[in-house]
Amino acid sequence: MLHMDDLDTPALTVDLDIMEDNIRRLQAYCDAHSIALRPHIKTHKVPAIAHMQRRAGAQGIACQKLGEAEVFAAAGFDDILIPYNIVGRAKLERLARLMHQCHLTVAADSVTTIRGLAWAAAEAEQPLDVIIELEGEIERAGVHTPEEAVALARAIETTPELHYRGVMIYPSDPESAPKLRAFLDALAAAHLPAEMVSGGGTGAAYHSHEVPELTEIRVGTYVYNDWNTVRRGWCTVEQCAQRVICTVVSRPTPDRAIIDGGSKTFSSDGELPMGHILEYPEAAIYHMDEEHGYVDISRCARKPEIGERVRVIPNHACPVSNLHDVIYGLRGDRVETIWPILARGKTQ
Ligand SMILES: Cc1ncc(COP(=O)(O)O)c(C=O)c1O
C-alpha cells in the first residue's frame, strides 16, 4: 500500500478519519434538530465524498455552478440546488438539458433571471422550482428589501413555467435572523409563504437551531475545515482534514524557508498567515508566488531542513480543491484511496 511519504509534492490529501467524523458530527446535529443538511459540494468537488455525505443522511446537495451540477447529476445525484443566478443563453440551454437528468431548484434575485429560467423550463417542457435569494449579512447578491422579495415571489408564482418554493440566505447565523424574519413575514402576509428556507455557512451551521425558520442548511467547508475556520473559532486544528504535503526546497536565510507550494497550489485566498504548518506551528507562511511559499521560521526552535516534508492546513479549503486533479485519502499515514476531483475547474 502506498505510504504518504511516497507521494510527490505538493500533494493534496484528506485525513479520512477526521473527514468522516466531521460528516457524522454535523449530520447528528441536524438530525437532532430536524434540519435537513444539504452539503455544498464546492468544498470538495468529489462525487465519492458527496455519496458519503448522502449515506450519512444528507438530503440533496448544493452546487454553485451549473458545470458542477452537470458533473454531480452524471454521478447520480437527483436533488440539486443551485444557489446562484443563472444568466445567459448558453447556460439556460444547458439548464434545460440538465432538468431532464435530475430534480433542480435554482435561486434568483431579479426578474431578468426569472425570465431566463422560464425560458429554460419551457425548453425542457417541465416546471422549474425557484427560490428567491435574499440579501444576507455579506451584502452580495440577493433582493434587498421585503417589498422586492414579495414582488419577485409574485412574478415567479404568476409564471406558469416556474414553481415558487421559498427563499435562501447566506450566511444564516443568528445575527441575520431578524432580517430573514422580516422577509418571511412580508412573504407570508402577501400569501406567498416560503415552504423552503435554505440557510448556509460553516460558521452558522451549529447555530441553525437558533433560527427555527430554517428548513435546511447548505454547508460546505465543514467536511474538511480549514485555517480560516480555526481562526474564527469554529473548529479545532484536530478537526481539519485537508492538508497539502509540501517539500522544503530552499533555506536562503536562517529565518526563511521556501516550500514547493505557492498560489498555484493554495490560491492566495485569505488572511495572513496563509495556512498552518502542522509540524511547525510557530512558522508563518507570509507570502506566496505561484510556485513558492515563503515561510517565516524565526520563531521555530527547530528549523526545517531542505528536503523535509511538511503538512499544511490551507487558509481556504474550497479554492485548493479547485487547483488539484486528485485528492489522496489517507488512513493514518497510508493512502487508502485516490479520488479524481471531477468538478474542479467548472467555472461556468
Ligand atoms: C450560497 C452559499 N451557500 C453555502 C455556502 C457554504 O458555505 P461554507 O463553505 O461556509 O459552509 C457558500 C459558500 O461560499 C455559499 O456561497
Side-chain angles (χ1 to χ4, degrees):
M1 202 188 245
L2 207 57
H3 189 277
M4 71 177 191
D5 290 344
D6 300 327
L7 301 174
D8 198 2
T9 63
L12 177 60
T13 70
V14 55
D15 184 299
L16 295 169
D17 291 330
I18 297 176
M19 180 180 75
E20 286 164 8
D21 201 50
N22 290 343
I23 293 173
R24 238 188 334 261
R25 207 168 51 255
L26 186 57
Q27 189 64 56
Y29 165 83
C30 287
D31 292 348
H33 293 283
S34 301
I35 302 166
L37 174 56
R38 183 185 286 280
H40 203 314
I41 61 77
K42 75 199 292 288
T43 303
H44 54 69
K45 305 178 199 296
V46 174
I49 297 179
H51 282 298
M52 292 167 72
Q53 292 169 306
R54 182 160 73 173
R55 279 196 299 276
Q59 293 176 33
I61 56 168
C63 297
Q64 203 79 350
K65 288 297 181 122
L66 194 55
E68 294 173 341
E70 287 167 342
V71 169
F72 279 75
F77 290 87
D78 52 9
D79 174 3
I80 301 180
L81 166 65
I82 304 180
Y84 199 91
N85 285 284
I86 297 180
V87 174
R89 172 87 183 215
K91 286 198 181 62
L92 292 167
E93 285 174 357
R94 285 163 58 203
L95 176 67
R97 284 196 292 278
L98 193 59
M99 284 176 68
H100 291 293
Q101 270 181 270
C102 63
H103 177 261
L104 283 172
T105 306
V106 180
D109 72 356
S110 74
V111 171
T112 307
T113 299
I114 283 169
R115 282 201 201 107
L117 297 180
W119 180 88
E123 279 288 297
E125 298 181 337
Q126 62 187 66
L128 176 62
D129 283 358
V130 179
I131 58 175
I132 298 173
E133 179 168 3
L134 308 176
E135 185 191 75
E137 236 179 295
I138 55 172
E139 300 185 358
R140 193 167 61 177
V143 298
H144 191 58
T145 65
E147 294 71 33
E148 286 174 76
V150 168
L152 205 56
R154 192 157 288 130
I156 300 167
E157 180 100 316
T158 52
T159 302
E161 294 84 2
L162 304 180
H163 176 213
Y164 163 68
R165 285 208 57 209
V167 299
M168 62 155 282
I169 194 162
Y170 176 79
S172 58
D173 46 330
E175 288 72 40
S176 48
K179 200 167 171 181
L180 173 63
R181 249 160 238 150
F183 280 114
L184 293 175
D185 290 348
L187 288 164
H191 306 288
L192 294 159
E195 155 212 338
M196 175 173 171
V197 181
S198 182
T202 290
Y206 286 98
H207 294 281
S208 300
H209 64 286
E210 297 169 42
V211 189
E213 291 82 1
L214 297 173
T215 59
E216 65 162 46
I217 50 172
R218 309 172 311 279
V219 197
T221 305
Y222 85 103
V223 72
Y224 289 160
N225 288 317
D226 55 27
W227 197 242
N228 284 337
T229 322
V230 176
R231 193 181 270 133
R232 285 169 178 71
W234 298 335
C235 76
T236 63
V237 183
E238 293 72 29
Q239 291 168 336
C240 291
Q242 185 196 55
R243 292 101 183 257
V244 180
I245 305 175
C246 291
T247 302
V248 176
V249 290
S250 178
R251 279 285 317 279
T253 71
D255 288 342
R256 190 192 324 143
I258 300 293
I259 55 174
D260 63 352
S263 58
K264 212 192 232 177
T265 300
F266 289 100
S267 86
S268 325
D269 212 323
E271 302 153 41
L272 292 177
M274 303 167 99
H276 177 76
I277 302 179
L278 280 171
E279 289 78 5
Y280 294 93
E282 307 84 11
I285 304 173
Y286 63 94
H287 181 71
M288 282 181 183
D289 291 337
E290 272 182 86
E291 319 289 359
H292 299 78
Y294 296 54
V295 190
D296 174 358
I297 51 171
S298 58
R299 284 186 301 277
C300 302
R302 185 178 70 83
K303 309 210 185 231
E305 304 289 332
I306 294 174
E308 217 176 300
R309 293 157 72 95
V310 292
R311 292 166 301 161
V312 181
I313 298 173
N315 247 354
H316 187 182
C318 313
V320 177
S321 296
N322 202 42
L323 293 170
H324 295 258
D325 289 332
V326 299
I327 184 161
Y328 298 94
L330 303 181
R331 190 76 66 189
D333 49 17
R334 302 275 157 190
V335 178
E336 183 174 289
T337 185
I338 305 174
W339 285 312
I341 304 180
L342 291 178
R344 70 161 288 205
K346 302 294 179 193
T347 51
Q348 295 185 335

